[in-house]
PDB file of all heavy atoms in Angstrom:
ATOM      1  N   VAL W  26      56.960  28.627 104.113  1.00 94.00           N
ATOM      2  CA  VAL W  26      57.534  29.594 103.187  1.00 94.00           C
ATOM      3  C   VAL W  26      56.710  30.898 103.226  1.00 94.00           C
ATOM      4  O   VAL W  26      57.267  31.990 103.337  1.00 94.00           O
ATOM      5  CB  VAL W  26      57.643  29.070 101.775  1.00 94.00           C
ATOM      6  CG1 VAL W  26      57.893  30.132 100.736  1.00 94.00           C
ATOM      7  CG2 VAL W  26      58.733  28.019 101.676  1.00 94.00           C
ATOM      8  N   SER W  27      55.403  30.738 103.269  1.00 94.00           N
ATOM      9  CA  SER W  27      54.560  31.953 103.351  1.00 94.00           C
ATOM     10  C   SER W  27      54.771  32.720 104.608  1.00 94.00           C
ATOM     11  O   SER W  27      54.898  33.943 104.550  1.00 94.00           O
ATOM     12  CB  SER W  27      53.082  31.476 103.291  1.00 94.00           C
ATOM     13  OG  SER W  27      52.226  32.604 103.406  1.00 94.00           O
ATOM     14  N   LYS W  28      54.895  32.043 105.725  1.00 96.00           N
ATOM     15  CA  LYS W  28      55.164  32.784 106.977  1.00 96.00           C
ATOM     16  C   LYS W  28      56.534  33.402 107.032  1.00 96.00           C
ATOM     17  O   LYS W  28      56.718  34.512 107.455  1.00 96.00           O
ATOM     18  CB  LYS W  28      55.047  31.778 108.158  1.00 96.00           C
ATOM     19  CG  LYS W  28      53.697  31.313 108.444  1.00 96.00           C
ATOM     20  CD  LYS W  28      53.591  30.336 109.545  1.00 96.00           C
ATOM     21  CE  LYS W  28      52.134  29.838 109.699  1.00 96.00           C
ATOM     22  NZ  LYS W  28      51.966  28.985 110.852  1.00 96.00           N
ATOM     23  N   ARG W  29      57.571  32.700 106.426  1.00 94.00           N
ATOM     24  CA  ARG W  29      58.888  33.220 106.400  1.00 94.00           C
ATOM     25  C   ARG W  29      59.093  34.345 105.448  1.00 94.00           C
ATOM     26  O   ARG W  29      59.620  35.379 105.773  1.00 94.00           O
ATOM     27  CB  ARG W  29      59.881  32.070 106.096  1.00 94.00           C
ATOM     28  CG  ARG W  29      61.316  32.496 105.907  1.00 94.00           C
ATOM     29  CD  ARG W  29      61.926  32.965 107.214  1.00 94.00           C
ATOM     30  NE  ARG W  29      63.240  33.508 107.033  1.00 94.00           N
ATOM     31  CZ  ARG W  29      63.501  34.727 106.764  1.00 94.00           C
ATOM     32  NH1 ARG W  29      62.632  35.662 106.719  1.00 94.00           N
ATOM     33  NH2 ARG W  29      64.733  35.118 106.606  1.00 94.00           N
ATOM     34  N   TYR W  30      58.627  34.162 104.195  1.00 92.00           N
ATOM     35  CA  TYR W  30      58.905  35.124 103.162  1.00 92.00           C
ATOM     36  C   TYR W  30      57.813  36.150 102.867  1.00 92.00           C
ATOM     37  O   TYR W  30      58.133  37.262 102.455  1.00 92.00           O
ATOM     38  CB  TYR W  30      59.281  34.409 101.878  1.00 92.00           C
ATOM     39  CG  TYR W  30      60.608  33.664 101.992  1.00 92.00           C
ATOM     40  CD1 TYR W  30      60.640  32.284 102.301  1.00 92.00           C
ATOM     41  CD2 TYR W  30      61.853  34.303 101.969  1.00 92.00           C
ATOM     42  CE1 TYR W  30      61.789  31.597 102.478  1.00 92.00           C
ATOM     43  CE2 TYR W  30      63.068  33.626 102.118  1.00 92.00           C
ATOM     44  CZ  TYR W  30      63.034  32.249 102.372  1.00 92.00           C
ATOM     45  OH  TYR W  30      64.179  31.581 102.537  1.00 92.00           O
ATOM     46  N   HIS W  31      56.554  35.804 103.033  1.00 92.00           N
ATOM     47  CA  HIS W  31      55.467  36.726 102.766  1.00 92.00           C
ATOM     48  C   HIS W  31      55.012  37.510 103.978  1.00 92.00           C
ATOM     49  O   HIS W  31      54.571  38.559 103.858  1.00 92.00           O
ATOM     50  CB  HIS W  31      54.322  35.995 102.069  1.00 92.00           C
ATOM     51  CG  HIS W  31      54.763  35.339 100.802  1.00 92.00           C
ATOM     52  ND1 HIS W  31      54.562  33.931 100.618  1.00 92.00           N
ATOM     53  CD2 HIS W  31      55.437  35.779  99.731  1.00 92.00           C
ATOM     54  CE1 HIS W  31      55.076  33.639  99.363  1.00 92.00           C
ATOM     55  NE2 HIS W  31      55.577  34.734  98.860  1.00 92.00           N
ATOM     56  N   GLN W  32      55.093  36.831 105.125  1.00 95.00           N
ATOM     57  CA  GLN W  32      54.666  37.513 106.421  1.00 95.00           C
ATOM     58  C   GLN W  32      55.916  38.054 107.132  1.00 95.00           C
ATOM     59  O   GLN W  32      55.809  38.615 108.199  1.00 95.00           O
ATOM     60  CB  GLN W  32      53.910  36.520 107.289  1.00 95.00           C
ATOM     61  CG  GLN W  32      52.578  36.076 106.688  1.00 95.00           C
ATOM     62  CD  GLN W  32      51.934  35.003 107.568  1.00 95.00           C
ATOM     63  OE1 GLN W  32      52.137  34.901 108.749  1.00 95.00           O
ATOM     64  NE2 GLN W  32      51.064  34.224 106.912  1.00 95.00           N
ATOM     65  N   ASN W  33      57.074  37.845 106.567  1.00 94.00           N
ATOM     66  CA  ASN W  33      58.333  38.311 107.040  1.00 94.00           C
ATOM     67  C   ASN W  33      58.630  37.904 108.491  1.00 94.00           C
ATOM     68  O   ASN W  33      59.204  38.732 109.260  1.00 94.00           O
ATOM     69  CB  ASN W  33      58.424  39.821 106.915  1.00 94.00           C
ATOM     70  CG  ASN W  33      58.408  40.243 105.442  1.00 94.00           C
ATOM     71  OD1 ASN W  33      59.136  39.657 104.635  1.00 94.00           O
ATOM     72  ND2 ASN W  33      57.600  41.223 105.093  1.00 94.00           N
ATOM     73  N   CYS W  34      58.323  36.698 108.849  1.00 96.00           N
ATOM     74  CA  CYS W  34      58.673  36.192 110.174  1.00 96.00           C
ATOM     75  C   CYS W  34      60.136  35.662 110.097  1.00 96.00           C
ATOM     76  O   CYS W  34      60.407  34.960 109.127  1.00 96.00           O
ATOM     77  CB  CYS W  34      57.740  35.105 110.628  1.00 96.00           C
ATOM     78  SG  CYS W  34      56.079  35.612 110.870  1.00 96.00           S
ATOM     79  N   SER W  35      60.871  35.912 111.051  1.00 94.00           N
ATOM     80  CA  SER W  35      62.267  35.365 111.040  1.00 94.00           C
ATOM     81  C   SER W  35      62.192  33.900 111.349  1.00 94.00           C
ATOM     82  O   SER W  35      61.226  33.349 111.967  1.00 94.00           O
ATOM     83  CB  SER W  35      63.108  36.132 112.076  1.00 94.00           C
ATOM     84  OG  SER W  35      62.805  35.692 113.361  1.00 94.00           O
ATOM     85  N   THR W  36      63.250  33.196 110.997  1.00 92.00           N
ATOM     86  CA  THR W  36      63.350  31.774 111.274  1.00 92.00           C
ATOM     87  C   THR W  36      63.253  31.566 112.746  1.00 92.00           C
ATOM     88  O   THR W  36      62.574  30.658 113.216  1.00 92.00           O
ATOM     89  CB  THR W  36      64.610  31.199 110.731  1.00 92.00           C
ATOM     90  OG1 THR W  36      64.593  31.379 109.319  1.00 92.00           O
ATOM     91  CG2 THR W  36      64.757  29.747 111.052  1.00 92.00           C
ATOM     92  N   MET W  37      63.908  32.385 113.547  1.00 91.00           N
ATOM     93  CA  MET W  37      63.881  32.189 115.028  1.00 91.00           C
ATOM     94  C   MET W  37      62.483  32.408 115.578  1.00 91.00           C
ATOM     95  O   MET W  37      62.053  31.723 116.510  1.00 91.00           O
ATOM     96  CB  MET W  37      64.952  33.101 115.690  1.00 91.00           C
ATOM     97  CG  MET W  37      66.414  32.700 115.383  1.00 91.00           C
ATOM     98  SD  MET W  37      66.733  30.985 115.759  1.00 91.00           S
ATOM     99  CE  MET W  37      67.103  30.319 114.182  1.00 91.00           C
ATOM    100  N   GLU W  38      61.819  33.420 115.084  1.00 95.00           N
ATOM    101  CA  GLU W  38      60.435  33.618 115.474  1.00 95.00           C
ATOM    102  C   GLU W  38      59.535  32.404 115.188  1.00 95.00           C
ATOM    103  O   GLU W  38      58.705  31.996 116.010  1.00 95.00           O
ATOM    104  CB  GLU W  38      59.767  34.842 114.751  1.00 95.00           C
ATOM    105  CG  GLU W  38      60.319  36.162 115.245  1.00 95.00           C
ATOM    106  CD  GLU W  38      59.769  37.308 114.355  1.00 95.00           C
ATOM    107  OE1 GLU W  38      59.704  37.137 113.106  1.00 95.00           O
ATOM    108  OE2 GLU W  38      59.580  38.374 114.930  1.00 95.00           O
ATOM    109  N   LEU W  39      59.716  31.786 114.027  1.00 95.00           N
ATOM    110  CA  LEU W  39      58.955  30.627 113.649  1.00 95.00           C
ATOM    111  C   LEU W  39      59.357  29.501 114.558  1.00 95.00           C
ATOM    112  O   LEU W  39      58.414  28.771 114.996  1.00 95.00           O
ATOM    113  CB  LEU W  39      59.224  30.258 112.207  1.00 95.00           C
ATOM    114  CG  LEU W  39      58.765  31.270 111.173  1.00 95.00           C
ATOM    115  CD1 LEU W  39      59.096  30.873 109.756  1.00 95.00           C
ATOM    116  CD2 LEU W  39      57.223  31.483 111.241  1.00 95.00           C
ATOM    117  N   MET W  40      60.630  29.291 114.843  1.00 92.00           N
ATOM    118  CA  MET W  40      61.000  28.236 115.757  1.00 92.00           C
ATOM    119  C   MET W  40      60.404  28.353 117.108  1.00 92.00           C
ATOM    120  O   MET W  40      60.003  27.406 117.721  1.00 92.00           O
ATOM    121  CB  MET W  40      62.562  28.178 115.850  1.00 92.00           C
ATOM    122  CG  MET W  40      63.253  27.722 114.609  1.00 92.00           C
ATOM    123  SD  MET W  40      62.831  26.019 114.079  1.00 92.00           S
ATOM    124  CE  MET W  40      63.984  25.096 115.014  1.00 92.00           C
ATOM    125  N   GLN W  41      60.304  29.579 117.597  1.00 93.00           N
ATOM    126  CA  GLN W  41      59.713  29.829 118.919  1.00 93.00           C
ATOM    127  C   GLN W  41      58.215  29.729 118.913  1.00 93.00           C
ATOM    128  O   GLN W  41      57.590  29.573 119.987  1.00 93.00           O
ATOM    129  CB  GLN W  41      60.114  31.231 119.405  1.00 93.00           C
ATOM    130  CG  GLN W  41      61.517  31.344 119.681  1.00 93.00           C
ATOM    131  CD  GLN W  41      62.057  32.856 119.877  1.00 93.00           C
ATOM    132  OE1 GLN W  41      61.233  33.729 119.806  1.00 93.00           O
ATOM    133  NE2 GLN W  41      63.316  32.967 120.176  1.00 93.00           N
ATOM    134  N   SER W  42      57.583  29.643 117.725  1.00 95.00           N
ATOM    135  CA  SER W  42      56.157  29.547 117.681  1.00 95.00           C
ATOM    136  C   SER W  42      55.578  28.185 117.839  1.00 95.00           C
ATOM    137  O   SER W  42      54.347  27.990 117.943  1.00 95.00           O
ATOM    138  CB  SER W  42      55.659  30.161 116.310  1.00 95.00           C
ATOM    139  OG  SER W  42      55.909  29.300 115.261  1.00 95.00           O
ATOM    140  N   THR W  43      56.435  27.201 117.804  1.00 94.00           N
ATOM    141  CA  THR W  43      55.942  25.786 117.872  1.00 94.00           C
ATOM    142  C   THR W  43      56.936  24.941 118.687  1.00 94.00           C
ATOM    143  O   THR W  43      58.124  25.203 118.666  1.00 94.00           O
ATOM    144  CB  THR W  43      55.737  25.246 116.515  1.00 94.00           C
ATOM    145  OG1 THR W  43      55.117  23.880 116.681  1.00 94.00           O
ATOM    146  CG2 THR W  43      56.998  25.172 115.673  1.00 94.00           C
ATOM    147  N   GLU W  44      56.369  23.927 119.342  1.00 93.00           N
ATOM    148  CA  GLU W  44      57.170  22.933 119.988  1.00 93.00           C
ATOM    149  C   GLU W  44      57.065  21.604 119.264  1.00 93.00           C
ATOM    150  O   GLU W  44      57.760  20.645 119.576  1.00 93.00           O
ATOM    151  CB  GLU W  44      56.717  22.750 121.420  1.00 93.00           C
ATOM    152  CG  GLU W  44      56.949  23.943 122.367  1.00 93.00           C
ATOM    153  CD  GLU W  44      58.467  24.227 122.520  1.00 93.00           C
ATOM    154  OE1 GLU W  44      59.279  23.251 122.661  1.00 93.00           O
ATOM    155  OE2 GLU W  44      58.818  25.370 122.588  1.00 93.00           O
ATOM    156  N   ASP W  45      56.279  21.554 118.207  1.00 95.00           N
ATOM    157  CA  ASP W  45      56.042  20.353 117.457  1.00 95.00           C
ATOM    158  C   ASP W  45      57.340  19.996 116.645  1.00 95.00           C
ATOM    159  O   ASP W  45      57.807  20.837 115.874  1.00 95.00           O
ATOM    160  CB  ASP W  45      54.882  20.577 116.443  1.00 95.00           C
ATOM    161  CG  ASP W  45      54.627  19.321 115.646  1.00 95.00           C
ATOM    162  OD1 ASP W  45      53.823  18.441 116.161  1.00 95.00           O
ATOM    163  OD2 ASP W  45      55.192  19.160 114.540  1.00 95.00           O
ATOM    164  N   PRO W  46      57.852  18.798 116.897  1.00 93.00           N
ATOM    165  CA  PRO W  46      59.137  18.383 116.247  1.00 93.00           C
ATOM    166  C   PRO W  46      59.074  18.402 114.707  1.00 93.00           C
ATOM    167  O   PRO W  46      59.994  18.811 114.037  1.00 93.00           O
ATOM    168  CB  PRO W  46      59.473  17.013 116.767  1.00 93.00           C
ATOM    169  CG  PRO W  46      58.620  16.854 117.954  1.00 93.00           C
ATOM    170  CD  PRO W  46      57.447  17.705 117.811  1.00 93.00           C
ATOM    171  N   HIS W  47      57.952  17.989 114.159  1.00 94.00           N
ATOM    172  CA  HIS W  47      57.740  17.982 112.692  1.00 94.00           C
ATOM    173  C   HIS W  47      57.789  19.400 112.126  1.00 94.00           C
ATOM    174  O   HIS W  47      58.443  19.662 111.167  1.00 94.00           O
ATOM    175  CB  HIS W  47      56.505  17.232 112.250  1.00 94.00           C
ATOM    176  CG  HIS W  47      56.309  17.156 110.790  1.00 94.00           C
ATOM    177  ND1 HIS W  47      57.152  16.484 109.953  1.00 94.00           N
ATOM    178  CD2 HIS W  47      55.352  17.750 109.994  1.00 94.00           C
ATOM    179  CE1 HIS W  47      56.730  16.554 108.683  1.00 94.00           C
ATOM    180  NE2 HIS W  47      55.634  17.429 108.711  1.00 94.00           N
ATOM    181  N   GLU W  48      57.033  20.289 112.746  1.00 95.00           N
ATOM    182  CA  GLU W  48      56.976  21.673 112.302  1.00 95.00           C
ATOM    183  C   GLU W  48      58.373  22.332 112.463  1.00 95.00           C
ATOM    184  O   GLU W  48      58.784  23.116 111.614  1.00 95.00           O
ATOM    185  CB  GLU W  48      55.933  22.461 113.112  1.00 95.00           C
ATOM    186  CG  GLU W  48      54.495  22.074 112.743  1.00 95.00           C
ATOM    187  CD  GLU W  48      53.462  22.841 113.503  1.00 95.00           C
ATOM    188  OE1 GLU W  48      53.802  23.513 114.536  1.00 95.00           O
ATOM    189  OE2 GLU W  48      52.271  22.838 113.082  1.00 95.00           O
TER     190      GLU W  48
END
Side-chain angles (χ1 to χ4, degrees):
V26 165
S27 177
K28 290 178 183 183
R29 173 68 185 93
Y30 294 99
H31 301 125
Q32 297 175 23
N33 295 315
C34 295
S35 73
T36 298
M37 292 305 117
E38 289 173 321
L39 294 175
M40 290 299 272
Q41 293 168 357
S42 74
T43 184
E44 292 295 322
D45 181 88
H47 179 68
E48 289 181 344

